[in-house]
Amino acid sequence: MIYSVSAGFFENLAEIFTSTVYLKMIGQGLLSTLIISVGAGVLGLFLGTLVAIIKIQPKNKWLIAPKFICDAYVTIIRGTPMALQLFIMAFVIFAIRGFPMEITAIIAFGINSGAYVSENIRAGILSVDRGQTEASRALGISSGYTMMRIVIPQGMKNVIPAIGNELIALIKETSIVSMIGMVDLTAVAKIIGSGERLASYLVPMLVVALCYLAIVYLLTLVIKLIERRLRKSEKR
């Protein structure tokens, strides 16, 4: 019994890696996952930085409305499921004939990621010693220049690990895009597993899991490399 199960497993594994059709499907699913992840990551980093900067500004009557909007954005996005946000984006907000689902997914995941990134960046900026801001203002340096060239760069150094964790979570969260009809890595595994040639979800799911693991591992190495270089720059 064990022999027959293991033999079937390796036969299915060989079938996947020797079939140009399956490999092409996995490659297309991988490309779709990467496009959504990278696009959403860039959008989330931009939104998160913008929201964090607005939220940490001193009290100002001109910033009451923007701060309220940012607080509401973070609260709503962090308090509702990602799947629900994706459904609303796909079938309500962007329910336009011919509108690319890839763009919809990038916007949905980017907006979701931005809410979490904003809190990470805000915490990183607030961790910078206020004495540096006061010293720069005493030297006549504008608050905008101080924020952009002194405070934010130091704050970003402090939150790189947290942002890296958010990007890793984002990559794995994209596996739900099949719920709106998109074909990513996870959807490809389902399609291959439901075919007549394999009729098993185990092997294709394991292959796709290895693809996700490889992506996350490479991203982790990149984050560690960035942290190492930043530490070297601080010692100089």
Side-chain angles (χ1 to χ4, degrees):
M1 180 66 180
I2 296 177
Y3 173 77
S4 62
V5 171
S6 60
F9 175 85
F10 287 109
E11 286 177 2
N12 289 341
L13 188 63
E15 177 68 27
I16 290 176
F17 284 103
T18 57
S19 172
T20 55
V21 175
Y22 289 157
L23 291 176
K24 184 178 180 180
M25 291 173 63
I26 292 174
Q28 291 174 342
L30 176 61
L31 180 61
S32 179
T33 295
L34 290 176
I35 289 174
I36 296 171
S37 300
V38 172
V42 172
L43 178 59
L45 186 60
F46 171 77
L47 287 176
T49 304
L50 180 62
V51 171
I53 291 174
I54 293 174
K55 292 183 69 174
I56 64 173
Q57 294 302 310
K59 290 183 178 181
N60 187 316
K61 65 179 181 178
W62 302 108
L63 289 175
I64 293 177
K67 283 188 175 184
F68 174 79
I69 293 172
C70 290
D71 288 335
Y73 158 67
V74 173
T75 301
I76 292 172
I77 295 300
R78 296 177 70 188
T80 54
M82 180 66 239
L84 180 60
Q85 297 169 25
L86 184 61
F87 268 112
I88 292 174
M89 283 290 182
F91 302 120
V92 179
I93 298 177
F94 294 109
I96 305 170
R97 184 182 298 274
F99 193 85
M101 278 294 184
E102 290 82 3
I103 302 300
T104 301
I106 288 173
I107 294 174
F109 285 103
I111 290 175
N112 179 271
S113 178
Y116 292 92
V117 170
S118 68
E119 291 301 290
N120 293 331
I121 293 178
R122 186 175 69 88
I125 292 175
L126 293 177
S127 69
V128 178
D129 186 5
R130 290 182 60 86
Q132 298 189 41
T133 302
E134 295 172 355
S136 64
R137 296 305 303 277
L139 292 173
I141 302 174
S142 66
S143 58
Y145 186 90
T146 300
M147 179 63 65
M148 297 303 298
R149 301 301 298 271
I150 298 175
V151 177
I152 290 180
Q154 294 185 68
M156 292 299 289
K157 289 181 182 180
N158 297 334
V159 300
I160 285 178
I163 292 178
N165 290 335
E166 170 58 27
L167 292 176
I168 289 173
L170 174 64
I171 292 171
K172 293 183 291 185
E173 282 181 348
T174 60
S175 61
I176 67 172
V177 296
S178 59
M179 299 171 65
I180 61 172
M182 291 188 62
V183 180
D184 69 324
L185 271 175
T186 304
V188 166
K190 294 178 182 177
I191 294 171
I192 295 175
S194 62
E196 295 181 358
R197 296 172 66 177
L198 263 65
S200 172
Y201 289 103
L202 176 60
V203 176
M205 285 293 182
L206 288 176
V207 172
V208 166
L210 289 175
C211 291
Y212 279 110
L213 181 61
I215 296 171
V216 170
Y217 181 73
L218 290 175
L219 180 59
T220 302
L221 290 180
V222 171
I223 294 170
K224 288 182 178 179
L225 179 62
I226 294 173
E227 290 178 332
R228 191 178 301 118
R229 291 195 174 185
L230 288 176
R231 284 196 297 268
K232 286 182 179 179
S233 66
E234 290 178 351
K235 294 178 181 179
R236 293 177 181 175

